[in-house]
Amino acid sequence: MADTTISATFDVYRFDPAVDRSARYQRYTLDLAPHTPVLTALLRIRAEVDPTLSLRYSCRSAICGSCAMQVNSKSRLACETQIGPEIARHGRIVVEPMHNQPVLRDLVVDQTPFWREYERVEPHLKLDPARPMPADRPTSMTPEQVERFKETPRCIACAACYSSCPAVEADPEFPGPMALAKLYRYVVDPRDTATRERLVGIQAGGLWLCLRCHLCTDACPKDVRPSERIRDLKELAIAAQGATEPGSRHAVGFKESIRGAGLLNEMQLVRRTYGPLGLFGQLGQGLRIWRKKPEVVRRPHRIEKVEEIEKIYAALDTGSEAPK
Amino acid sequence: MKFAYYPGCVAQESGKELDLATRWVCRALGIELVEFPSFSCCGSGFVDEANEVLNVAINARNLAIAERAGLNLLTICSTCQGMLTLANHRMADPKVRARVDGALKPLGIEYRGTVRVTHLLRVLVEEVGLPAIRAKVRRPLAGLKVGAFYGCHLLRPTDEMGGEGGGDGEEPHSFEDLLAAIGADPVYYRGRVMCCGFPIQFVKEATANRIAGHQIQDAKSHGADAMATPCPLCHITLDAYQNKAEKAVGARLDMPVFHLPQLVGLALGATPEELGLPRHLVPTEPALARVRPSGA
């Protein structure tokens, strides 16, 4: 069997706040089969080399979501990440705790901020007390209604998305991909009666801070595609309440601004998003850019056949999109 | 080599220098760009937020224009690349297609789904090829350390963009390979595949500026003399708003930011004026001064 193993170098993040002033990386080298999961390797290190290594895990089968960590700078489930491809790509395996959550010890993070955002979206059915669910039979849904949940029921709350999210990193007001994907799941649930208040709440509650970078969708081990569910929530929020926030005003303003000429009208969009007073606040920066790029204040030329754009809008932008 | 040229809105207006540089480089490398004055805006991700099907429809119209001419479509913007590619994917959903067709067919427009959407970066690396580019380099950018900044939508979601965008999914290196081919020293740093902050520039400026500042600081701390991007929206954020990013992170950045074809053009012998470099907000001269003269 010896010829089927590879020598795998692990650089593992170590930090014990009771002893260490700062984090360090400890190197372990093991001979392992290329298909060995990173989690199995870490458990072997703990059992055979270093019993002080702390990590969180449970099922080892990519179901419980406990063992998410940074493997070579990507948020992954350690139990389903094999060492072979990592070694082939990076030459070694750097294992670090998840980002965006304080480190308790080694690879174990304090998930309080992640769960706080989860609780904030009230991830449970809100029912109409006047219309309780029947106790004696299941509630039926049409296949179309079920389809609207999309991939969200697959979420195992591993926090890989939260760990990979640059908006979470940059702004505590952003609830994070998982909480928003969960919220979406209740917004489209036909049994839930709080759809509108959920959408109104989230429109002002950080929804528009999503950067659309799709790092969460890449990180998600269950293919929940959180960034797409956040997009869905944005469209639903506008449909439910209109554009009430800078982010939604910008999205709707952008949509309207390409209507006349078929191309973006930068000045008009800035005016729509900020309003006349806000526009005044952008004057200094605008002037700075205008000196080098005078086109910023120019109306765009009109594309040929721009009337086609208007007709497409007339057919598809009727303001009654996305019914529940 | 012939493409339907999709310049996108910014390169036709405030990012005109990107269009100039693209035309110069394509002329030098024998890439024929066919123009279609009926192309509309791609929606830039914002129309998608407001109305997904509408966004697919305006891009299906763009794709149908290229399809009628029998051409694949060349973009010079990561966001245009992302939006047009997503439209291709979403048209595969029969429900979306039915609604889009319902809007387009009365206009005599039908998109059959045959157009490949490709970015200039990918054309240079995979179709022109690095050996052919290397052979045409007249002024290698030796000594210039450049941090590539890909722009999210060229790379992700990987499932959709992997084959068409950056092309190399998890660990993109096509941009760095191109930089090496023109003699520059590519700098690898975490921020190169991260977001520039542009999408929330109008939502929460302070956060957007901080994100941009961190990416520039990251490139700088890894030794970059300059950054380069295949996305004019990233360019706006990193160049035109760099003064705001500096305030947000409380540090001088002084980071020249090039559009991808500008660096290729410089290496192939174009002058800074031909590539629109004087239009940048952060002067590019300090970076150009780092280039070692040939033979040195």
PDB file of all heavy atoms in Angstrom, chain A residues 89 170-171 173 212-213 218 225 231 234-235 262 285 293 301 308 317, chain B residues 12 17 41 48-49 51-52 61 156 158 160 170 204 207 210 240 243:
ATOM      1  N   ARG A  89      -2.645  21.001  -6.039  1.00  0.00           N
ATOM      2  CA  ARG A  89      -2.831  22.396  -6.405  1.00  0.00           C
ATOM      3  C   ARG A  89      -1.908  23.338  -5.629  1.00  0.00           C
ATOM      4  O   ARG A  89      -1.425  24.328  -6.161  1.00  0.00           O
ATOM      5  CB  ARG A  89      -4.291  22.771  -6.136  1.00  0.00           C
ATOM      6  CG  ARG A  89      -4.820  23.874  -6.997  1.00  0.00           C
ATOM      7  CD  ARG A  89      -6.310  24.073  -6.756  1.00  0.00           C
ATOM      8  NE  ARG A  89      -7.154  23.197  -7.541  1.00  0.00           N
ATOM      9  CZ  ARG A  89      -8.272  22.629  -7.097  1.00  0.00           C
ATOM     10  NH1 ARG A  89      -8.665  22.819  -5.864  1.00  0.00           N
ATOM     11  NH2 ARG A  89      -8.992  21.879  -7.889  1.00  0.00           N
ATOM     12  N   ALA A 170     -16.836  43.308   6.047  1.00  0.00           N
ATOM     13  CA  ALA A 170     -16.686  44.763   5.968  1.00  0.00           C
ATOM     14  C   ALA A 170     -17.761  45.524   6.723  1.00  0.00           C
ATOM     15  O   ALA A 170     -17.569  46.694   7.041  1.00  0.00           O
ATOM     16  CB  ALA A 170     -16.688  45.197   4.497  1.00  0.00           C
ATOM     17  N   ASP A 171     -18.904  44.890   6.988  1.00  0.00           N
ATOM     18  CA  ASP A 171     -20.010  45.672   7.546  1.00  0.00           C
ATOM     19  C   ASP A 171     -20.891  44.821   8.459  1.00  0.00           C
ATOM     20  O   ASP A 171     -21.581  43.912   7.998  1.00  0.00           O
ATOM     21  CB  ASP A 171     -20.862  46.243   6.400  1.00  0.00           C
ATOM     22  CG  ASP A 171     -21.706  47.411   6.869  1.00  0.00           C
ATOM     23  OD1 ASP A 171     -22.331  47.289   7.941  1.00  0.00           O
ATOM     24  OD2 ASP A 171     -21.729  48.440   6.179  1.00  0.00           O
ATOM     25  N   GLU A 173     -23.604  45.341   9.627  1.00  0.00           N
ATOM     26  CA  GLU A 173     -25.030  45.468   9.346  1.00  0.00           C
ATOM     27  C   GLU A 173     -25.527  44.386   8.384  1.00  0.00           C
ATOM     28  O   GLU A 173     -26.725  44.147   8.269  1.00  0.00           O
ATOM     29  CB  GLU A 173     -25.280  46.848   8.735  1.00  0.00           C
ATOM     30  CG  GLU A 173     -26.671  47.410   9.018  1.00  0.00           C
ATOM     31  CD  GLU A 173     -26.988  48.559   8.081  1.00  0.00           C
ATOM     32  OE1 GLU A 173     -26.134  49.450   7.921  1.00  0.00           O
ATOM     33  OE2 GLU A 173     -28.076  48.543   7.486  1.00  0.00           O
ATOM     34  N   ARG A 212     -22.900  40.849  -4.358  1.00  0.00           N
ATOM     35  CA  ARG A 212     -23.099  40.038  -5.556  1.00  0.00           C
ATOM     36  C   ARG A 212     -21.788  39.419  -6.041  1.00  0.00           C
ATOM     37  O   ARG A 212     -21.586  39.232  -7.242  1.00  0.00           O
ATOM     38  CB  ARG A 212     -23.666  40.869  -6.722  1.00  0.00           C
ATOM     39  CG  ARG A 212     -25.055  41.354  -6.530  1.00  0.00           C
ATOM     40  CD  ARG A 212     -25.547  41.947  -7.834  1.00  0.00           C
ATOM     41  NE  ARG A 212     -25.582  43.377  -7.824  1.00  0.00           N
ATOM     42  CZ  ARG A 212     -24.892  44.153  -8.649  1.00  0.00           C
ATOM     43  NH1 ARG A 212     -24.071  43.632  -9.537  1.00  0.00           N
ATOM     44  NH2 ARG A 212     -25.018  45.455  -8.587  1.00  0.00           N
ATOM     45  N   CYS A 213     -20.877  39.138  -5.127  1.00  0.00           N
ATOM     46  CA  CYS A 213     -19.576  38.607  -5.556  1.00  0.00           C
ATOM     47  C   CYS A 213     -19.655  37.105  -5.785  1.00  0.00           C
ATOM     48  O   CYS A 213     -18.730  36.523  -6.350  1.00  0.00           O
ATOM     49  CB  CYS A 213     -18.515  38.920  -4.506  1.00  0.00           C
ATOM     50  SG  CYS A 213     -18.742  38.021  -2.961  1.00  0.00           S
ATOM     51  N   ASP A 218     -20.091  29.924  -4.377  1.00  0.00           N
ATOM     52  CA  ASP A 218     -18.956  29.038  -4.624  1.00  0.00           C
ATOM     53  C   ASP A 218     -18.600  28.220  -3.382  1.00  0.00           C
ATOM     54  O   ASP A 218     -18.191  27.074  -3.498  1.00  0.00           O
ATOM     55  CB  ASP A 218     -17.730  29.857  -5.061  1.00  0.00           C
ATOM     56  CG  ASP A 218     -17.642  29.975  -6.574  1.00  0.00           C
ATOM     57  OD1 ASP A 218     -18.671  29.771  -7.244  1.00  0.00           O
ATOM     58  OD2 ASP A 218     -16.540  30.263  -7.087  1.00  0.00           O
ATOM     59  N   ARG A 225     -26.810  28.117  -3.259  1.00  0.00           N
ATOM     60  CA  ARG A 225     -26.673  29.310  -4.093  1.00  0.00           C
ATOM     61  C   ARG A 225     -27.245  30.555  -3.398  1.00  0.00           C
ATOM     62  O   ARG A 225     -28.163  31.211  -3.920  1.00  0.00           O
ATOM     63  CB  ARG A 225     -27.314  29.077  -5.471  1.00  0.00           C
ATOM     64  CG  ARG A 225     -26.767  27.816  -6.168  1.00  0.00           C
ATOM     65  CD  ARG A 225     -27.291  27.626  -7.561  1.00  0.00           C
ATOM     66  NE  ARG A 225     -26.744  28.570  -8.518  1.00  0.00           N
ATOM     67  CZ  ARG A 225     -25.575  28.440  -9.138  1.00  0.00           C
ATOM     68  NH1 ARG A 225     -24.799  27.420  -8.899  1.00  0.00           N
ATOM     69  NH2 ARG A 225     -25.172  29.359  -9.990  1.00  0.00           N
ATOM     70  N   ARG A 231     -30.573  37.764  -4.432  1.00  0.00           N
ATOM     71  CA  ARG A 231     -31.114  38.474  -5.591  1.00  0.00           C
ATOM     72  C   ARG A 231     -32.636  38.342  -5.635  1.00  0.00           C
ATOM     73  O   ARG A 231     -33.352  39.328  -5.837  1.00  0.00           O
ATOM     74  CB  ARG A 231     -30.512  37.909  -6.889  1.00  0.00           C
ATOM     75  CG  ARG A 231     -30.802  38.725  -8.135  1.00  0.00           C
ATOM     76  CD  ARG A 231     -31.186  37.850  -9.327  1.00  0.00           C
ATOM     77  NE  ARG A 231     -32.459  37.185  -9.119  1.00  0.00           N
ATOM     78  CZ  ARG A 231     -33.647  37.767  -9.312  1.00  0.00           C
ATOM     79  NH1 ARG A 231     -33.739  39.000  -9.729  1.00  0.00           N
ATOM     80  NH2 ARG A 231     -34.765  37.089  -9.075  1.00  0.00           N
ATOM     81  N   LYS A 234     -34.279  40.602  -3.197  1.00  0.00           N
ATOM     82  CA  LYS A 234     -34.273  42.013  -3.611  1.00  0.00           C
ATOM     83  C   LYS A 234     -35.450  42.297  -4.531  1.00  0.00           C
ATOM     84  O   LYS A 234     -36.170  43.287  -4.354  1.00  0.00           O
ATOM     85  CB  LYS A 234     -32.954  42.344  -4.319  1.00  0.00           C
ATOM     86  CG  LYS A 234     -31.755  42.418  -3.385  1.00  0.00           C
ATOM     87  CD  LYS A 234     -30.472  42.556  -4.190  1.00  0.00           C
ATOM     88  CE  LYS A 234     -29.257  42.768  -3.287  1.00  0.00           C
ATOM     89  NZ  LYS A 234     -28.004  42.704  -4.051  1.00  0.00           N
ATOM     90  N   GLU A 235     -35.659  41.423  -5.505  1.00  0.00           N
ATOM     91  CA  GLU A 235     -36.765  41.636  -6.440  1.00  0.00           C
ATOM     92  C   GLU A 235     -38.108  41.550  -5.717  1.00  0.00           C
ATOM     93  O   GLU A 235     -39.016  42.359  -5.959  1.00  0.00           O
ATOM     94  CB  GLU A 235     -36.694  40.624  -7.589  1.00  0.00           C
ATOM     95  CG  GLU A 235     -37.759  40.881  -8.656  1.00  0.00           C
ATOM     96  CD  GLU A 235     -37.542  40.081  -9.946  1.00  0.00           C
ATOM     97  OE1 GLU A 235     -36.448  39.533 -10.144  1.00  0.00           O
ATOM     98  OE2 GLU A 235     -38.489  40.020 -10.749  1.00  0.00           O
ATOM     99  N   GLY A 262     -31.051  53.241 -24.153  1.00  0.00           N
ATOM    100  CA  GLY A 262     -30.558  51.867 -24.289  1.00  0.00           C
ATOM    101  C   GLY A 262     -29.207  51.654 -23.636  1.00  0.00           C
ATOM    102  O   GLY A 262     -28.728  50.539 -23.532  1.00  0.00           O
ATOM    103  N   GLN A 285     -16.547  65.119  -5.935  1.00  0.00           N
ATOM    104  CA  GLN A 285     -15.974  63.939  -6.581  1.00  0.00           C
ATOM    105  C   GLN A 285     -16.277  63.969  -8.081  1.00  0.00           C
ATOM    106  O   GLN A 285     -15.415  63.649  -8.903  1.00  0.00           O
ATOM    107  CB  GLN A 285     -16.556  62.669  -5.934  1.00  0.00           C
ATOM    108  CG  GLN A 285     -15.942  61.372  -6.431  1.00  0.00           C
ATOM    109  CD  GLN A 285     -14.514  61.177  -5.942  1.00  0.00           C
ATOM    110  OE1 GLN A 285     -13.993  61.967  -5.156  1.00  0.00           O
ATOM    111  NE2 GLN A 285     -13.854  60.133  -6.434  1.00  0.00           N
ATOM    112  N   LYS A 293     -12.334  63.022 -17.256  1.00  0.00           N
ATOM    113  CA  LYS A 293     -13.278  62.226 -18.033  1.00  0.00           C
ATOM    114  C   LYS A 293     -14.568  63.013 -18.240  1.00  0.00           C
ATOM    115  O   LYS A 293     -15.567  62.753 -17.560  1.00  0.00           O
ATOM    116  CB  LYS A 293     -13.565  60.909 -17.295  1.00  0.00           C
ATOM    117  CG  LYS A 293     -12.294  60.114 -17.002  1.00  0.00           C
ATOM    118  CD  LYS A 293     -12.597  58.806 -16.315  1.00  0.00           C
ATOM    119  CE  LYS A 293     -11.351  57.917 -16.388  1.00  0.00           C
ATOM    120  NZ  LYS A 293     -11.634  56.524 -16.162  1.00  0.00           N
ATOM    121  N   HIS A 301     -25.233  58.341 -26.180  1.00  0.00           N
ATOM    122  CA  HIS A 301     -25.906  58.343 -27.479  1.00  0.00           C
ATOM    123  C   HIS A 301     -27.034  57.316 -27.448  1.00  0.00           C
ATOM    124  O   HIS A 301     -27.053  56.414 -26.612  1.00  0.00           O
ATOM    125  CB  HIS A 301     -24.911  58.036 -28.604  1.00  0.00           C
ATOM    126  CG  HIS A 301     -24.358  56.648 -28.559  1.00  0.00           C
ATOM    127  ND1 HIS A 301     -23.212  56.327 -27.873  1.00  0.00           N
ATOM    128  CD2 HIS A 301     -24.801  55.484 -29.092  1.00  0.00           C
ATOM    129  CE1 HIS A 301     -22.983  55.036 -27.991  1.00  0.00           C
ATOM    130  NE2 HIS A 301     -23.922  54.490 -28.715  1.00  0.00           N
ATOM    131  N   GLU A 308     -37.112  48.849 -29.447  1.00  0.00           N
ATOM    132  CA  GLU A 308     -37.239  47.445 -29.029  1.00  0.00           C
ATOM    133  C   GLU A 308     -37.104  47.312 -27.509  1.00  0.00           C
ATOM    134  O   GLU A 308     -37.791  46.505 -26.881  1.00  0.00           O
ATOM    135  CB  GLU A 308     -36.166  46.590 -29.717  1.00  0.00           C
ATOM    136  CG  GLU A 308     -36.402  46.426 -31.215  1.00  0.00           C
ATOM    137  CD  GLU A 308     -35.307  45.625 -31.915  1.00  0.00           C
ATOM    138  OE1 GLU A 308     -34.291  45.258 -31.261  1.00  0.00           O
ATOM    139  OE2 GLU A 308     -35.448  45.364 -33.122  1.00  0.00           O
ATOM    140  N   ASP A 317     -41.890  44.339 -17.766  1.00  0.00           N
ATOM    141  CA  ASP A 317     -41.691  45.163 -16.569  1.00  0.00           C
ATOM    142  C   ASP A 317     -43.001  45.832 -16.180  1.00  0.00           C
ATOM    143  O   ASP A 317     -43.130  47.051 -16.172  1.00  0.00           O
ATOM    144  CB  ASP A 317     -40.598  46.213 -16.809  1.00  0.00           C
ATOM    145  CG  ASP A 317     -40.072  46.768 -15.492  1.00  0.00           C
ATOM    146  OD1 ASP A 317     -39.925  45.978 -14.537  1.00  0.00           O
ATOM    147  OD2 ASP A 317     -39.818  47.978 -15.407  1.00  0.00           O
TER     148      ASP A 317
ATOM    149  N   GLN B  12     -17.757  53.245 -23.423  1.00  0.00           N
ATOM    150  CA  GLN B  12     -18.205  54.196 -24.445  1.00  0.00           C
ATOM    151  C   GLN B  12     -18.292  55.615 -23.891  1.00  0.00           C
ATOM    152  O   GLN B  12     -18.496  56.562 -24.640  1.00  0.00           O
ATOM    153  CB  GLN B  12     -19.581  53.783 -24.988  1.00  0.00           C
ATOM    154  CG  GLN B  12     -19.547  52.464 -25.741  1.00  0.00           C
ATOM    155  CD  GLN B  12     -20.917  52.085 -26.305  1.00  0.00           C
ATOM    156  OE1 GLN B  12     -21.447  52.765 -27.162  1.00  0.00           O
ATOM    157  NE2 GLN B  12     -21.474  51.006 -25.801  1.00  0.00           N
ATOM    158  N   GLU B  17     -10.990  55.262 -22.382  1.00  0.00           N
ATOM    159  CA  GLU B  17      -9.607  54.802 -22.579  1.00  0.00           C
ATOM    160  C   GLU B  17      -9.550  53.276 -22.736  1.00  0.00           C
ATOM    161  O   GLU B  17      -8.665  52.761 -23.415  1.00  0.00           O
ATOM    162  CB  GLU B  17      -8.708  55.289 -21.432  1.00  0.00           C
ATOM    163  CG  GLU B  17      -8.982  54.679 -20.052  1.00  0.00           C
ATOM    164  CD  GLU B  17     -10.150  55.324 -19.317  1.00  0.00           C
ATOM    165  OE1 GLU B  17     -10.752  56.258 -19.869  1.00  0.00           O
ATOM    166  OE2 GLU B  17     -10.471  54.875 -18.197  1.00  0.00           O
ATOM    167  N   CYS B  41     -27.224  48.268 -23.061  1.00  0.00           N
ATOM    168  CA  CYS B  41     -26.574  48.000 -21.767  1.00  0.00           C
ATOM    169  C   CYS B  41     -26.908  46.578 -21.304  1.00  0.00           C
ATOM    170  O   CYS B  41     -27.991  46.067 -21.583  1.00  0.00           O
ATOM    171  CB  CYS B  41     -27.098  49.023 -20.751  1.00  0.00           C
ATOM    172  SG  CYS B  41     -26.626  48.723 -19.035  1.00  0.00           S
ATOM    173  N   ASP B  48     -30.828  43.139 -13.021  1.00  0.00           N
ATOM    174  CA  ASP B  48     -31.080  41.777 -12.553  1.00  0.00           C
ATOM    175  C   ASP B  48     -31.714  41.799 -11.160  1.00  0.00           C
ATOM    176  O   ASP B  48     -32.599  41.002 -10.857  1.00  0.00           O
ATOM    177  CB  ASP B  48     -29.759  41.003 -12.548  1.00  0.00           C
ATOM    178  CG  ASP B  48     -29.932  39.531 -12.161  1.00  0.00           C
ATOM    179  OD1 ASP B  48     -30.885  38.906 -12.665  1.00  0.00           O
ATOM    180  OD2 ASP B  48     -29.115  39.019 -11.380  1.00  0.00           O
ATOM    181  N   GLU B  49     -31.241  42.717 -10.303  1.00  0.00           N
ATOM    182  CA  GLU B  49     -31.806  42.808  -8.948  1.00  0.00           C
ATOM    183  C   GLU B  49     -33.258  43.266  -8.986  1.00  0.00           C
ATOM    184  O   GLU B  49     -34.079  42.864  -8.170  1.00  0.00           O
ATOM    185  CB  GLU B  49     -31.005  43.805  -8.108  1.00  0.00           C
ATOM    186  CG  GLU B  49     -29.588  43.363  -7.835  1.00  0.00           C
ATOM    187  CD  GLU B  49     -28.794  44.408  -7.060  1.00  0.00           C
ATOM    188  OE1 GLU B  49     -28.940  45.620  -7.323  1.00  0.00           O
ATOM    189  OE2 GLU B  49     -28.013  44.024  -6.188  1.00  0.00           O
ATOM    190  N   ASN B  51     -35.402  43.103 -11.746  1.00  0.00           N
ATOM    191  CA  ASN B  51     -36.306  42.277 -12.554  1.00  0.00           C
ATOM    192  C   ASN B  51     -35.480  41.274 -13.360  1.00  0.00           C
ATOM    193  O   ASN B  51     -34.933  41.593 -14.412  1.00  0.00           O
ATOM    194  CB  ASN B  51     -37.124  43.188 -13.484  1.00  0.00           C
ATOM    195  CG  ASN B  51     -38.191  42.418 -14.267  1.00  0.00           C
ATOM    196  OD1 ASN B  51     -38.059  41.222 -14.502  1.00  0.00           O
ATOM    197  ND2 ASN B  51     -39.227  43.121 -14.662  1.00  0.00           N
ATOM    198  N   GLU B  52     -35.418  40.055 -12.836  1.00  0.00           N
ATOM    199  CA  GLU B  52     -34.527  39.037 -13.407  1.00  0.00           C
ATOM    200  C   GLU B  52     -34.872  38.714 -14.866  1.00  0.00           C
ATOM    201  O   GLU B  52     -33.989  38.653 -15.722  1.00  0.00           O
ATOM    202  CB  GLU B  52     -34.621  37.762 -12.557  1.00  0.00           C
ATOM    203  CG  GLU B  52     -33.709  36.646 -13.062  1.00  0.00           C
ATOM    204  CD  GLU B  52     -33.787  35.384 -12.209  1.00  0.00           C
ATOM    205  OE1 GLU B  52     -34.781  35.206 -11.474  1.00  0.00           O
ATOM    206  OE2 GLU B  52     -32.857  34.581 -12.286  1.00  0.00           O
ATOM    207  N   ARG B  61     -31.675  39.767 -26.315  1.00  0.00           N
ATOM    208  CA  ARG B  61     -31.727  40.625 -27.505  1.00  0.00           C
ATOM    209  C   ARG B  61     -30.307  40.925 -28.006  1.00  0.00           C
ATOM    210  O   ARG B  61     -30.026  40.820 -29.208  1.00  0.00           O
ATOM    211  CB  ARG B  61     -32.464  41.936 -27.171  1.00  0.00           C
ATOM    212  CG  ARG B  61     -32.473  42.945 -28.315  1.00  0.00           C
ATOM    213  CD  ARG B  61     -33.136  44.266 -27.876  1.00  0.00           C
ATOM    214  NE  ARG B  61     -32.920  45.301 -28.878  1.00  0.00           N
ATOM    215  CZ  ARG B  61     -31.825  46.055 -28.953  1.00  0.00           C
ATOM    216  NH1 ARG B  61     -30.843  45.872 -28.089  1.00  0.00           N
ATOM    217  NH2 ARG B  61     -31.706  46.966 -29.909  1.00  0.00           N
ATOM    218  N   ARG B 156     -17.232  34.139 -11.156  1.00  0.00           N
ATOM    219  CA  ARG B 156     -18.266  33.477 -10.370  1.00  0.00           C
ATOM    220  C   ARG B 156     -19.664  33.897 -10.789  1.00  0.00           C
ATOM    221  O   ARG B 156     -19.841  35.015 -11.275  1.00  0.00           O
ATOM    222  CB  ARG B 156     -18.052  33.801  -8.873  1.00  0.00           C
ATOM    223  CG  ARG B 156     -16.771  33.255  -8.307  1.00  0.00           C
ATOM    224  CD  ARG B 156     -16.639  33.608  -6.826  1.00  0.00           C
ATOM    225  NE  ARG B 156     -16.520  35.034  -6.612  1.00  0.00           N
ATOM    226  CZ  ARG B 156     -15.365  35.702  -6.520  1.00  0.00           C
ATOM    227  NH1 ARG B 156     -14.237  35.069  -6.589  1.00  0.00           N
ATOM    228  NH2 ARG B 156     -15.354  36.996  -6.363  1.00  0.00           N
ATOM    229  N   THR B 158     -18.891  30.003 -10.246  1.00  0.00           N
ATOM    230  CA  THR B 158     -17.976  29.153 -11.009  1.00  0.00           C
ATOM    231  C   THR B 158     -18.728  28.175 -11.905  1.00  0.00           C
ATOM    232  O   THR B 158     -18.287  27.900 -13.018  1.00  0.00           O
ATOM    233  CB  THR B 158     -17.051  28.385 -10.041  1.00  0.00           C
ATOM    234  OG1 THR B 158     -16.342  29.353  -9.263  1.00  0.00           O
ATOM    235  CG2 THR B 158     -16.052  27.537 -10.797  1.00  0.00           C
ATOM    236  N   GLU B 160     -21.316  28.550 -13.615  1.00  0.00           N
ATOM    237  CA  GLU B 160     -21.695  29.178 -14.880  1.00  0.00           C
ATOM    238  C   GLU B 160     -20.492  29.784 -15.601  1.00  0.00           C
ATOM    239  O   GLU B 160     -20.394  29.731 -16.812  1.00  0.00           O
ATOM    240  CB  GLU B 160     -22.731  30.293 -14.646  1.00  0.00           C
ATOM    241  CG  GLU B 160     -24.136  29.792 -14.354  1.00  0.00           C
ATOM    242  CD  GLU B 160     -24.307  29.294 -12.931  1.00  0.00           C
ATOM    243  OE1 GLU B 160     -23.403  29.536 -12.109  1.00  0.00           O
ATOM    244  OE2 GLU B 160     -25.331  28.649 -12.648  1.00  0.00           O
ATOM    245  N   GLU B 170     -11.364  27.657  -9.815  1.00  0.00           N
ATOM    246  CA  GLU B 170     -11.002  27.874  -8.424  1.00  0.00           C
ATOM    247  C   GLU B 170      -9.743  28.722  -8.245  1.00  0.00           C
ATOM    248  O   GLU B 170      -9.696  29.596  -7.398  1.00  0.00           O
ATOM    249  CB  GLU B 170     -10.832  26.529  -7.730  1.00  0.00           C
ATOM    250  CG  GLU B 170     -10.726  26.683  -6.234  1.00  0.00           C
ATOM    251  CD  GLU B 170     -10.701  25.355  -5.518  1.00  0.00           C
ATOM    252  OE1 GLU B 170     -10.818  24.309  -6.172  1.00  0.00           O
ATOM    253  OE2 GLU B 170     -10.552  25.368  -4.308  1.00  0.00           O
ATOM    254  N   LYS B 204     -23.856  52.081   0.442  1.00  0.00           N
ATOM    255  CA  LYS B 204     -23.175  52.499   1.663  1.00  0.00           C
ATOM    256  C   LYS B 204     -21.723  52.782   1.291  1.00  0.00           C
ATOM    257  O   LYS B 204     -20.869  51.899   1.305  1.00  0.00           O
ATOM    258  CB  LYS B 204     -23.272  51.398   2.722  1.00  0.00           C
ATOM    259  CG  LYS B 204     -23.080  51.901   4.135  1.00  0.00           C
ATOM    260  CD  LYS B 204     -23.479  50.823   5.118  1.00  0.00           C
ATOM    261  CE  LYS B 204     -23.244  51.260   6.549  1.00  0.00           C
ATOM    262  NZ  LYS B 204     -23.542  50.177   7.495  1.00  0.00           N
ATOM    263  N   THR B 207     -18.544  51.730   3.400  1.00  0.00           N
ATOM    264  CA  THR B 207     -18.179  50.308   3.349  1.00  0.00           C
ATOM    265  C   THR B 207     -17.523  49.983   2.017  1.00  0.00           C
ATOM    266  O   THR B 207     -16.496  49.297   1.972  1.00  0.00           O
ATOM    267  CB  THR B 207     -19.429  49.427   3.562  1.00  0.00           C
ATOM    268  OG1 THR B 207     -20.022  49.793   4.798  1.00  0.00           O
ATOM    269  CG2 THR B 207     -19.072  47.961   3.587  1.00  0.00           C
ATOM    270  N   ARG B 210     -14.029  51.261   1.921  1.00  0.00           N
ATOM    271  CA  ARG B 210     -13.132  50.488   2.784  1.00  0.00           C
ATOM    272  C   ARG B 210     -12.718  49.191   2.092  1.00  0.00           C
ATOM    273  O   ARG B 210     -11.554  48.791   2.125  1.00  0.00           O
ATOM    274  CB  ARG B 210     -13.835  50.207   4.123  1.00  0.00           C
ATOM    275  CG  ARG B 210     -12.894  49.920   5.262  1.00  0.00           C
ATOM    276  CD  ARG B 210     -13.553  50.048   6.625  1.00  0.00           C
ATOM    277  NE  ARG B 210     -14.765  49.249   6.721  1.00  0.00           N
ATOM    278  CZ  ARG B 210     -15.977  49.752   6.929  1.00  0.00           C
ATOM    279  NH1 ARG B 210     -16.137  51.057   7.036  1.00  0.00           N
ATOM    280  NH2 ARG B 210     -17.023  48.957   7.028  1.00  0.00           N
ATOM    281  N   ALA B 240     -10.741  55.933 -10.051  1.00  0.00           N
ATOM    282  CA  ALA B 240     -11.448  57.207  -9.914  1.00  0.00           C
ATOM    283  C   ALA B 240     -11.881  57.477  -8.471  1.00  0.00           C
ATOM    284  O   ALA B 240     -12.027  58.623  -8.066  1.00  0.00           O
ATOM    285  CB  ALA B 240     -12.658  57.237 -10.853  1.00  0.00           C
ATOM    286  N   ASN B 243      -9.152  58.087  -4.125  1.00  0.00           N
ATOM    287  CA  ASN B 243      -9.015  59.119  -3.088  1.00  0.00           C
ATOM    288  C   ASN B 243      -9.953  58.819  -1.920  1.00  0.00           C
ATOM    289  O   ASN B 243      -9.608  59.017  -0.756  1.00  0.00           O
ATOM    290  CB  ASN B 243      -9.298  60.506  -3.691  1.00  0.00           C
ATOM    291  CG  ASN B 243     -10.703  60.632  -4.267  1.00  0.00           C
ATOM    292  OD1 ASN B 243     -11.233  59.697  -4.883  1.00  0.00           O
ATOM    293  ND2 ASN B 243     -11.336  61.783  -4.075  1.00  0.00           N
TER     294      ASN B 243
END
